Amino acid sequence: MAGSRPKSGPTMHDVAAAAGVSQATVSLVLNSASGSRFSEETRRRVRDAVDRLGYRTNAHAKVLRDGVAGMIGFIGDSVATTPFAGAIIEGAQERAWEDGLLLLTMNTGGDKDLEAASLDTMLSYKVAGVVYAAMYHRRLDVPEALAGVRSVVLNSQDRAGRLPSVAPDEVKGGYAATRRLLDAGHRRIGLINIETLESRLPAAVGRYEGYTMALEEAGLDVDPELVRFGGGGEEDGYRYAVELMTAAKPPTAIFCANDRTAWGAYQAVADLRLSIPADVSIVGFDNQTTVAPHLRPGLTTFELPFVAMGRRAVELILQDAEPHGGVELMECPLIERNSVTHPKEMP
């Protein structure tokens, strides 16, 4: 009948009647209460009745009973539009599910009003914790509301130093990228960075620091003529690769501090009628799956560990540790393809 109230569905009383047990037994079986001892036959009858009737537990009742819902909140600035987003959400969701929790995900698009409303809604649901994620590594201001719930900053760092953060180890990544080229025999190694050092962007500063560490460890000076500071796009990769490769003494290898920059460098090398890796070896960073595997030759690069970072952020929430401003840095693994070989002058 129009306007009639929809049927609420089977109740715990219905499950108890179908299984031939008390409501208390159904509740204890479904919630795996510690200390409750039932035969496997009783548990099977309850589970069969639940499946047959299509019974669903009441999330609101769980909040009233336990004080938290079976969910972890995930707020990101561009989780719906960034190529990396799927991996970071996959890791967080996978880890949450291992403890029987769902991930409640919200993309804000950088809209602070939407972020505040989303966070308010998540907190009203009594989520077990909140992962506050950014889609590129930076220091950011965390909403004050997160002080009232277990929270972890993911792929960035809390500028105020209050909440724990999980982020990629940019210094080790820059070091390993440069070391890969040194190990291939290169000594004139260019760098096209993704921002200036003055920007204080952790990825740009850290990858440059790793580059200089590797060179100095090899007994080489950093040559300013071999270093360029772009904006992280293919246009700068193209422009600066042309500058480097048409210089009087060009590098034999270039570390591009992200894969989009490397993509631009590939185009420059092709337009100069040169070859990768015969004339110049190139290493990227990010392992952006829409770019790196599809370049020819495939780009040797370093992967941002998004799945592992997503898992770790949820793990820190589940551990219920005291809030702290420490930053946990995760290693960026090498993805070896075909863009690196030894320099021509090697015997």
Side-chain angles (χ1 to χ4, degrees), residues 1-32:
M1 180 188 298
S4 63
R5 187 172 179 175
K7 197 173 187 306
S8 61
T11 65
M12 192 176 290
H13 174 80
D14 297 329
V15 174
V21 298
S22 68
Q23 286 189 59
T25 297
V26 172
S27 178
L28 291 169
V29 168
L30 293 182
N31 289 290
S32 303

PDB file of all heavy atoms in Angstrom, residues 1-32:
ATOM      1  N   MET A   1       0.852  -1.188   0.000  1.00  0.00           N
ATOM      2  CA  MET A   1       0.000   0.000   0.000  1.00  0.00           C
ATOM      3  C   MET A   1       0.883   1.232   0.000  1.00  0.00           C
ATOM      4  O   MET A   1       1.856   1.289   0.737  1.00  0.00           O
ATOM      5  CB  MET A   1      -0.900  -0.004   1.242  1.00  0.00           C
ATOM      6  CG  MET A   1      -1.825   1.223   1.307  1.00  0.00           C
ATOM      7  SD  MET A   1      -2.705   1.321   2.888  1.00  0.00           S
ATOM      8  CE  MET A   1      -3.656  -0.181   2.829  1.00  0.00           C
ATOM      9  N   ALA A   2       0.526   2.267  -0.813  1.00  0.00           N
ATOM     10  CA  ALA A   2       1.332   3.483  -0.883  1.00  0.00           C
ATOM     11  C   ALA A   2       1.366   4.157   0.468  1.00  0.00           C
ATOM     12  O   ALA A   2       0.341   4.280   1.148  1.00  0.00           O
ATOM     13  CB  ALA A   2       0.750   4.432  -1.934  1.00  0.00           C
ATOM     14  N   GLY A   3       2.520   4.596   0.878  1.00  0.00           N
ATOM     15  CA  GLY A   3       2.681   5.310   2.138  1.00  0.00           C
ATOM     16  C   GLY A   3       2.857   4.398   3.332  1.00  0.00           C
ATOM     17  O   GLY A   3       3.107   4.863   4.437  1.00  0.00           O
ATOM     18  N   SER A   4       2.744   3.064   3.135  1.00  0.00           N
ATOM     19  CA  SER A   4       2.937   2.153   4.260  1.00  0.00           C
ATOM     20  C   SER A   4       4.420   2.045   4.574  1.00  0.00           C
ATOM     21  O   SER A   4       5.270   2.227   3.713  1.00  0.00           O
ATOM     22  CB  SER A   4       2.363   0.773   3.920  1.00  0.00           C
ATOM     23  OG  SER A   4       3.066   0.232   2.838  1.00  0.00           O
ATOM     24  N   ARG A   5       4.707   1.743   5.816  1.00  0.00           N
ATOM     25  CA  ARG A   5       6.093   1.663   6.256  1.00  0.00           C
ATOM     26  C   ARG A   5       6.739   0.397   5.717  1.00  0.00           C
ATOM     27  O   ARG A   5       6.152  -0.679   5.785  1.00  0.00           O
ATOM     28  CB  ARG A   5       6.106   1.658   7.785  1.00  0.00           C
ATOM     29  CG  ARG A   5       7.496   1.757   8.361  1.00  0.00           C
ATOM     30  CD  ARG A   5       7.407   1.947   9.836  1.00  0.00           C
ATOM     31  NE  ARG A   5       8.723   2.025  10.446  1.00  0.00           N
ATOM     32  CZ  ARG A   5       8.907   2.279  11.722  1.00  0.00           C
ATOM     33  NH1 ARG A   5       7.868   2.482  12.518  1.00  0.00           N
ATOM     34  NH2 ARG A   5      10.123   2.327  12.224  1.00  0.00           N
ATOM     35  N   PRO A   6       7.946   0.476   5.155  1.00  0.00           N
ATOM     36  CA  PRO A   6       8.581  -0.734   4.617  1.00  0.00           C
ATOM     37  C   PRO A   6       8.897  -1.732   5.720  1.00  0.00           C
ATOM     38  O   PRO A   6       9.184  -1.352   6.851  1.00  0.00           O
ATOM     39  CB  PRO A   6       9.864  -0.204   3.980  1.00  0.00           C
ATOM     40  CG  PRO A   6      10.119   1.107   4.646  1.00  0.00           C
ATOM     41  CD  PRO A   6       8.785   1.667   4.996  1.00  0.00           C
ATOM     42  N   LYS A   7       8.860  -2.997   5.376  1.00  0.00           N
ATOM     43  CA  LYS A   7       9.171  -4.048   6.335  1.00  0.00           C
ATOM     44  C   LYS A   7      10.625  -3.940   6.774  1.00  0.00           C
ATOM     45  O   LYS A   7      11.503  -3.730   5.961  1.00  0.00           O
ATOM     46  CB  LYS A   7       8.924  -5.408   5.679  1.00  0.00           C
ATOM     47  CG  LYS A   7       8.818  -6.558   6.666  1.00  0.00           C
ATOM     48  CD  LYS A   7       8.412  -7.809   5.932  1.00  0.00           C
ATOM     49  CE  LYS A   7       8.110  -8.965   6.877  1.00  0.00           C
ATOM     50  NZ  LYS A   7       9.124  -9.289   7.810  1.00  0.00           N
ATOM     51  N   SER A   8      10.879  -4.046   8.061  1.00  0.00           N
ATOM     52  CA  SER A   8      12.221  -3.825   8.586  1.00  0.00           C
ATOM     53  C   SER A   8      13.145  -5.012   8.367  1.00  0.00           C
ATOM     54  O   SER A   8      14.340  -4.909   8.565  1.00  0.00           O
ATOM     55  CB  SER A   8      12.151  -3.507  10.083  1.00  0.00           C
ATOM     56  OG  SER A   8      11.585  -4.599  10.788  1.00  0.00           O
ATOM     57  N   GLY A   9      12.592  -6.145   7.936  1.00  0.00           N
ATOM     58  CA  GLY A   9      13.436  -7.308   7.734  1.00  0.00           C
ATOM     59  C   GLY A   9      13.427  -8.219   8.958  1.00  0.00           C
ATOM     60  O   GLY A   9      12.877  -7.885  10.016  1.00  0.00           O
ATOM     61  N   PRO A  10      14.041  -9.407   8.830  1.00  0.00           N
ATOM     62  CA  PRO A  10      14.040 -10.376   9.932  1.00  0.00           C
ATOM     63  C   PRO A  10      14.770  -9.828  11.154  1.00  0.00           C
ATOM     64  O   PRO A  10      15.734  -9.078  11.034  1.00  0.00           O
ATOM     65  CB  PRO A  10      14.761 -11.591   9.342  1.00  0.00           C
ATOM     66  CG  PRO A  10      15.563 -11.040   8.205  1.00  0.00           C
ATOM     67  CD  PRO A  10      14.808  -9.886   7.667  1.00  0.00           C
ATOM     68  N   THR A  11      14.292 -10.220  12.321  1.00  0.00           N
ATOM     69  CA  THR A  11      14.889  -9.770  13.579  1.00  0.00           C
ATOM     70  C   THR A  11      15.690 -10.909  14.207  1.00  0.00           C
ATOM     71  O   THR A  11      15.649 -12.061  13.749  1.00  0.00           O
ATOM     72  CB  THR A  11      13.794  -9.338  14.563  1.00  0.00           C
ATOM     73  OG1 THR A  11      13.005 -10.496  14.893  1.00  0.00           O
ATOM     74  CG2 THR A  11      12.893  -8.273  13.956  1.00  0.00           C
ATOM     75  N   MET A  12      16.394 -10.566  15.283  1.00  0.00           N
ATOM     76  CA  MET A  12      17.128 -11.596  16.013  1.00  0.00           C
ATOM     77  C   MET A  12      16.164 -12.624  16.613  1.00  0.00           C
ATOM     78  O   MET A  12      16.500 -13.809  16.716  1.00  0.00           O
ATOM     79  CB  MET A  12      17.979 -10.950  17.110  1.00  0.00           C
ATOM     80  CG  MET A  12      18.991 -11.910  17.724  1.00  0.00           C
ATOM     81  SD  MET A  12      20.072 -11.127  18.924  1.00  0.00           S
ATOM     82  CE  MET A  12      21.083 -10.086  17.884  1.00  0.00           C
ATOM     83  N   HIS A  13      14.964 -12.177  16.958  1.00  0.00           N
ATOM     84  CA  HIS A  13      13.934 -13.097  17.471  1.00  0.00           C
ATOM     85  C   HIS A  13      13.586 -14.136  16.402  1.00  0.00           C
ATOM     86  O   HIS A  13      13.435 -15.334  16.704  1.00  0.00           O
ATOM     87  CB  HIS A  13      12.680 -12.306  17.868  1.00  0.00           C
ATOM     88  CG  HIS A  13      11.529 -13.172  18.268  1.00  0.00           C
ATOM     89  ND1 HIS A  13      11.417 -13.744  19.529  1.00  0.00           N
ATOM     90  CD2 HIS A  13      10.440 -13.598  17.565  1.00  0.00           C
ATOM     91  CE1 HIS A  13      10.316 -14.467  19.587  1.00  0.00           C
ATOM     92  NE2 HIS A  13       9.699 -14.390  18.414  1.00  0.00           N
ATOM     93  N   ASP A  14      13.467 -13.677  15.131  1.00  0.00           N
ATOM     94  CA  ASP A  14      13.157 -14.612  14.032  1.00  0.00           C
ATOM     95  C   ASP A  14      14.274 -15.635  13.856  1.00  0.00           C
ATOM     96  O   ASP A  14      14.013 -16.827  13.621  1.00  0.00           O
ATOM     97  CB  ASP A  14      12.972 -13.834  12.724  1.00  0.00           C
ATOM     98  CG  ASP A  14      11.799 -12.874  12.767  1.00  0.00           C
ATOM     99  OD1 ASP A  14      10.815 -13.173  13.480  1.00  0.00           O
ATOM    100  OD2 ASP A  14      11.879 -11.808  12.120  1.00  0.00           O
ATOM    101  N   VAL A  15      15.525 -15.174  13.947  1.00  0.00           N
ATOM    102  CA  VAL A  15      16.661 -16.085  13.812  1.00  0.00           C
ATOM    103  C   VAL A  15      16.648 -17.114  14.930  1.00  0.00           C
ATOM    104  O   VAL A  15      16.855 -18.321  14.704  1.00  0.00           O
ATOM    105  CB  VAL A  15      18.000 -15.295  13.825  1.00  0.00           C
ATOM    106  CG1 VAL A  15      19.194 -16.255  13.843  1.00  0.00           C
ATOM    107  CG2 VAL A  15      18.092 -14.376  12.617  1.00  0.00           C
ATOM    108  N   ALA A  16      16.376 -16.662  16.168  1.00  0.00           N
ATOM    109  CA  ALA A  16      16.345 -17.560  17.317  1.00  0.00           C
ATOM    110  C   ALA A  16      15.271 -18.633  17.146  1.00  0.00           C
ATOM    111  O   ALA A  16      15.507 -19.819  17.409  1.00  0.00           O
ATOM    112  CB  ALA A  16      16.104 -16.761  18.601  1.00  0.00           C
ATOM    113  N   ALA A  17      14.070 -18.207  16.663  1.00  0.00           N
ATOM    114  CA  ALA A  17      12.975 -19.160  16.467  1.00  0.00           C
ATOM    115  C   ALA A  17      13.327 -20.179  15.395  1.00  0.00           C
ATOM    116  O   ALA A  17      13.082 -21.386  15.551  1.00  0.00           O
ATOM    117  CB  ALA A  17      11.699 -18.402  16.093  1.00  0.00           C
ATOM    118  N   ALA A  18      13.952 -19.699  14.290  1.00  0.00           N
ATOM    119  CA  ALA A  18      14.301 -20.607  13.190  1.00  0.00           C
ATOM    120  C   ALA A  18      15.387 -21.591  13.595  1.00  0.00           C
ATOM    121  O   ALA A  18      15.414 -22.734  13.122  1.00  0.00           O
ATOM    122  CB  ALA A  18      14.749 -19.788  11.976  1.00  0.00           C
ATOM    123  N   ALA A  19      16.293 -21.152  14.472  1.00  0.00           N
ATOM    124  CA  ALA A  19      17.406 -22.018  14.886  1.00  0.00           C
ATOM    125  C   ALA A  19      17.063 -22.861  16.105  1.00  0.00           C
ATOM    126  O   ALA A  19      17.827 -23.766  16.465  1.00  0.00           O
ATOM    127  CB  ALA A  19      18.632 -21.156  15.190  1.00  0.00           C
ATOM    128  N   GLY A  20      15.937 -22.552  16.766  1.00  0.00           N
ATOM    129  CA  GLY A  20      15.546 -23.299  17.954  1.00  0.00           C
ATOM    130  C   GLY A  20      16.423 -23.010  19.159  1.00  0.00           C
ATOM    131  O   GLY A  20      16.693 -23.895  19.973  1.00  0.00           O
ATOM    132  N   VAL A  21      16.881 -21.739  19.273  1.00  0.00           N
ATOM    133  CA  VAL A  21      17.721 -21.325  20.403  1.00  0.00           C
ATOM    134  C   VAL A  21      17.189 -20.004  20.948  1.00  0.00           C
ATOM    135  O   VAL A  21      16.259 -19.412  20.397  1.00  0.00           O
ATOM    136  CB  VAL A  21      19.203 -21.158  19.981  1.00  0.00           C
ATOM    137  CG1 VAL A  21      19.777 -22.476  19.480  1.00  0.00           C
ATOM    138  CG2 VAL A  21      19.343 -20.076  18.910  1.00  0.00           C
ATOM    139  N   SER A  22      17.788 -19.530  22.034  1.00  0.00           N
ATOM    140  CA  SER A  22      17.363 -18.252  22.612  1.00  0.00           C
ATOM    141  C   SER A  22      17.989 -17.083  21.855  1.00  0.00           C
ATOM    142  O   SER A  22      19.004 -17.238  21.164  1.00  0.00           O
ATOM    143  CB  SER A  22      17.783 -18.172  24.076  1.00  0.00           C
ATOM    144  OG  SER A  22      19.188 -18.093  24.178  1.00  0.00           O
ATOM    145  N   GLN A  23      17.407 -15.876  22.014  1.00  0.00           N
ATOM    146  CA  GLN A  23      17.989 -14.673  21.407  1.00  0.00           C
ATOM    147  C   GLN A  23      19.389 -14.415  21.957  1.00  0.00           C
ATOM    148  O   GLN A  23      20.268 -13.953  21.237  1.00  0.00           O
ATOM    149  CB  GLN A  23      17.095 -13.452  21.686  1.00  0.00           C
ATOM    150  CG  GLN A  23      15.815 -13.432  20.858  1.00  0.00           C
ATOM    151  CD  GLN A  23      15.097 -12.108  21.009  1.00  0.00           C
ATOM    152  OE1 GLN A  23      15.656 -11.058  20.711  1.00  0.00           O
ATOM    153  NE2 GLN A  23      13.843 -12.163  21.469  1.00  0.00           N
ATOM    154  N   ALA A  24      19.584 -14.713  23.245  1.00  0.00           N
ATOM    155  CA  ALA A  24      20.901 -14.508  23.862  1.00  0.00           C
ATOM    156  C   ALA A  24      21.951 -15.373  23.164  1.00  0.00           C
ATOM    157  O   ALA A  24      23.078 -14.924  22.915  1.00  0.00           O
ATOM    158  CB  ALA A  24      20.838 -14.832  25.346  1.00  0.00           C
ATOM    159  N   THR A  25      21.570 -16.613  22.840  1.00  0.00           N
ATOM    160  CA  THR A  25      22.515 -17.502  22.148  1.00  0.00           C
ATOM    161  C   THR A  25      22.862 -16.950  20.769  1.00  0.00           C
ATOM    162  O   THR A  25      24.035 -16.936  20.362  1.00  0.00           O
ATOM    163  CB  THR A  25      21.912 -18.915  22.013  1.00  0.00           C
ATOM    164  OG1 THR A  25      21.716 -19.456  23.314  1.00  0.00           O
ATOM    165  CG2 THR A  25      22.827 -19.830  21.214  1.00  0.00           C
ATOM    166  N   VAL A  26      21.836 -16.469  20.032  1.00  0.00           N
ATOM    167  CA  VAL A  26      22.087 -15.872  18.711  1.00  0.00           C
ATOM    168  C   VAL A  26      23.058 -14.706  18.839  1.00  0.00           C
ATOM    169  O   VAL A  26      24.035 -14.600  18.088  1.00  0.00           O
ATOM    170  CB  VAL A  26      20.768 -15.396  18.063  1.00  0.00           C
ATOM    171  CG1 VAL A  26      21.070 -14.606  16.779  1.00  0.00           C
ATOM    172  CG2 VAL A  26      19.869 -16.581  17.757  1.00  0.00           C
ATOM    173  N   SER A  27      22.825 -13.824  19.803  1.00  0.00           N
ATOM    174  CA  SER A  27      23.676 -12.657  19.993  1.00  0.00           C
ATOM    175  C   SER A  27      25.122 -13.060  20.279  1.00  0.00           C
ATOM    176  O   SER A  27      26.065 -12.515  19.702  1.00  0.00           O
ATOM    177  CB  SER A  27      23.142 -11.794  21.134  1.00  0.00           C
ATOM    178  OG  SER A  27      23.990 -10.690  21.358  1.00  0.00           O
ATOM    179  N   LEU A  28      25.296 -14.042  21.178  1.00  0.00           N
ATOM    180  CA  LEU A  28      26.639 -14.474  21.553  1.00  0.00           C
ATOM    181  C   LEU A  28      27.364 -15.141  20.386  1.00  0.00           C
ATOM    182  O   LEU A  28      28.562 -14.930  20.175  1.00  0.00           O
ATOM    183  CB  LEU A  28      26.574 -15.431  22.752  1.00  0.00           C
ATOM    184  CG  LEU A  28      26.150 -14.790  24.084  1.00  0.00           C
ATOM    185  CD1 LEU A  28      25.855 -15.863  25.124  1.00  0.00           C
ATOM    186  CD2 LEU A  28      27.241 -13.849  24.583  1.00  0.00           C
ATOM    187  N   VAL A  29      26.643 -15.941  19.608  1.00  0.00           N
ATOM    188  CA  VAL A  29      27.259 -16.608  18.463  1.00  0.00           C
ATOM    189  C   VAL A  29      27.676 -15.584  17.407  1.00  0.00           C
ATOM    190  O   VAL A  29      28.799 -15.617  16.890  1.00  0.00           O
ATOM    191  CB  VAL A  29      26.303 -17.653  17.851  1.00  0.00           C
ATOM    192  CG1 VAL A  29      26.834 -18.133  16.494  1.00  0.00           C
ATOM    193  CG2 VAL A  29      26.126 -18.835  18.797  1.00  0.00           C
ATOM    194  N   LEU A  30      26.775 -14.646  17.085  1.00  0.00           N
ATOM    195  CA  LEU A  30      27.062 -13.673  16.030  1.00  0.00           C
ATOM    196  C   LEU A  30      28.177 -12.719  16.405  1.00  0.00           C
ATOM    197  O   LEU A  30      28.918 -12.240  15.546  1.00  0.00           O
ATOM    198  CB  LEU A  30      25.797 -12.875  15.686  1.00  0.00           C
ATOM    199  CG  LEU A  30      24.672 -13.670  15.020  1.00  0.00           C
ATOM    200  CD1 LEU A  30      23.504 -12.753  14.693  1.00  0.00           C
ATOM    201  CD2 LEU A  30      25.163 -14.358  13.750  1.00  0.00           C
ATOM    202  N   ASN A  31      28.309 -12.449  17.707  1.00  0.00           N
ATOM    203  CA  ASN A  31      29.337 -11.514  18.143  1.00  0.00           C
ATOM    204  C   ASN A  31      30.597 -12.203  18.643  1.00  0.00           C
ATOM    205  O   ASN A  31      31.500 -11.536  19.169  1.00  0.00           O
ATOM    206  CB  ASN A  31      28.775 -10.589  19.229  1.00  0.00           C
ATOM    207  CG  ASN A  31      27.767  -9.604  18.671  1.00  0.00           C
ATOM    208  OD1 ASN A  31      28.124  -8.690  17.940  1.00  0.00           O
ATOM    209  ND2 ASN A  31      26.496  -9.822  18.987  1.00  0.00           N
ATOM    210  N   SER A  32      30.640 -13.547  18.492  1.00  0.00           N
ATOM    211  CA  SER A  32      31.816 -14.317  18.901  1.00  0.00           C
ATOM    212  C   SER A  32      32.267 -13.924  20.303  1.00  0.00           C
ATOM    213  O   SER A  32      33.445 -13.664  20.550  1.00  0.00           O
ATOM    214  CB  SER A  32      32.966 -14.114  17.905  1.00  0.00           C
ATOM    215  OG  SER A  32      32.550 -14.470  16.618  1.00  0.00           O
TER     216      SER A  32
END
